[in-house]
Amino acid sequence: MDMQVRSGADQGIPAQASELTFSWLYQQVQLRANQSIYPKPSRAEKWSFRLGLSAAGVGLLAAAASPSVIPPIQAAVVTSICLLLEIGGFIVGGVLTAKREWRQYSKPRLSHAEEMDGEFNHWRTLIESLREFPRNQREERLRFVSALRQGMTERMGLMYGGLQKLGPFPVLIALYLQFRNWEWGDWAGAFDVNLVGGLLIFAMVLMYAMGWVLLALRTRLDTYVNLLEASLRPE
């Protein structure tokens, strides 16, 4: 059965011609994720933060450079200029961000309700789009993605345990163990770790970051399952 390109193409992403694919479903869900009732950051806001970060990087390099590379007086001048640029960039960016998102925090309940209305409308439109595909395709893909989600949950449990319940708690514990005997000003002692300890810390941070990436993938699988199940229910 050939389906014509539906009205969902008006939103920028056409439906598949005859077969439901996860690539199409990803594009439709991503379209909803990219939509927001709040205004997007302006170019001035983005470049303000970029200027602040760039100035901070250059200032750190100038401060850490050897006197043979750059004289101390010139390094102090460069560092001072970069510090001023960093502070100015972050202040301008922070003011623009606060101005753009002020309504979100001044009226959080109303903003959240309006955001839910927009997400619900897109959710309903996407379910109607899914119902245009043959039922056997939706059922087959629902079984596949449900099995994939179950296997992913079990594998993540073996490696990470309850990461989604612990949140940043493991990192806070690691930071406490590292800095529990540290005193202000003792910068050398703060990072005084041996090679094995450094490798373990790097592995922990890497595994933690990968855990959050996998958790985001698991959340997306939940979305696919919910959409496919909703499309199979009677209207």
Side-chain angles (χ1 to χ4, degrees):
M1 180 180 66
D2 292 335
M3 297 170 53
Q4 300 296 328
V5 175
R6 47 175 306 280
S7 60
D10 298 337
Q11 300 182 7
I13 300 178
Q16 287 287 345
S18 60
E19 185 178 3
L20 174 62
T21 64
F22 287 109
S23 298
W24 176 87
L25 190 56
Y26 161 79
Q27 291 175 335
Q28 294 289 349
V29 172
Q30 196 65 26
L31 176 65
R32 186 192 69 172
N34 293 334
Q35 289 179 344
S36 176
I37 63 173
Y38 310 111
K40 295 184 179 298
S42 63
R43 183 174 299 179
E45 180 181 346
K46 294 179 180 179
W47 278 105
S48 296
F49 284 112
R50 292 172 183 172
L51 176 63
L53 291 173
S54 301
V58 174
L60 290 174
L61 290 176
S66 173
S68 60
V69 177
I70 178 173
I73 297 179
Q74 296 181 2
V77 173
V78 172
T79 304
S80 300
I81 294 175
C82 290
L83 180 61
L84 292 177
L85 291 175
E86 177 185 356
I87 295 175
F90 285 133
I91 289 177
V92 172
V95 170
L96 293 176
T97 302
K99 181 180 178 181
R100 176 173 57 86
E101 297 185 352
W102 173 251
R103 181 174 177 273
Q104 178 181 356
Y105 299 104
S106 62
K107 298 180 179 179
R109 294 184 179 87
L110 177 59
S111 299
H112 186 237
E114 293 176 349
E115 187 175 1
M116 290 173 61
D117 287 335
E119 291 180 353
F120 174 74
N121 291 332
H122 189 81
W123 175 273
R124 184 170 54 185
T125 301
L126 184 50
I127 291 176
E128 294 174 356
S129 302
L130 282 170
R131 284 174 176 161
E132 295 185 10
F133 292 97
R135 185 180 182 88
N136 62 335
Q137 292 186 12
R138 288 177 279 152
E139 291 176 345
E140 184 180 12
R141 280 154 181 79
L142 175 60
R143 289 191 296 269
F144 173 79
V145 74
S146 298
L148 184 63
R149 181 181 63 171
Q150 181 64 27
M152 187 175 185
T153 302
E154 295 176 355
R155 290 191 296 270
M156 286 185 63
L158 292 174
M159 180 62 68
Y160 295 100
L163 177 63
Q164 62 271 29
K165 297 179 181 179
L166 292 176
F169 192 63
V171 174
L172 294 178
I173 293 177
L175 291 175
Y176 167 74
L177 294 176
Q178 175 67 24
F179 295 103
R180 67 183 185 276
N181 297 323
W182 176 70
E183 296 181 359
W184 180 261
D186 185 15
W187 301 109
F191 303 98
D192 185 15
V193 294
N194 53 34
L195 178 60
V196 177
L199 292 176
L200 289 175
I201 292 175
F202 175 77
M204 182 195 67
V205 174
L206 181 62
M207 287 183 61
Y208 191 77
M210 288 301 300
W212 279 106
V213 172
L214 293 175
L215 188 60
L217 293 177
R218 162 65 197 274
T219 303
R220 182 55 64 93
L221 290 180
D222 290 338
T223 303
Y224 295 159
V225 170
N226 294 333
L227 283 169
L228 291 170
E229 287 180 344
S231 69
L232 291 170
R233 298 192 188 101
E235 297 185 16

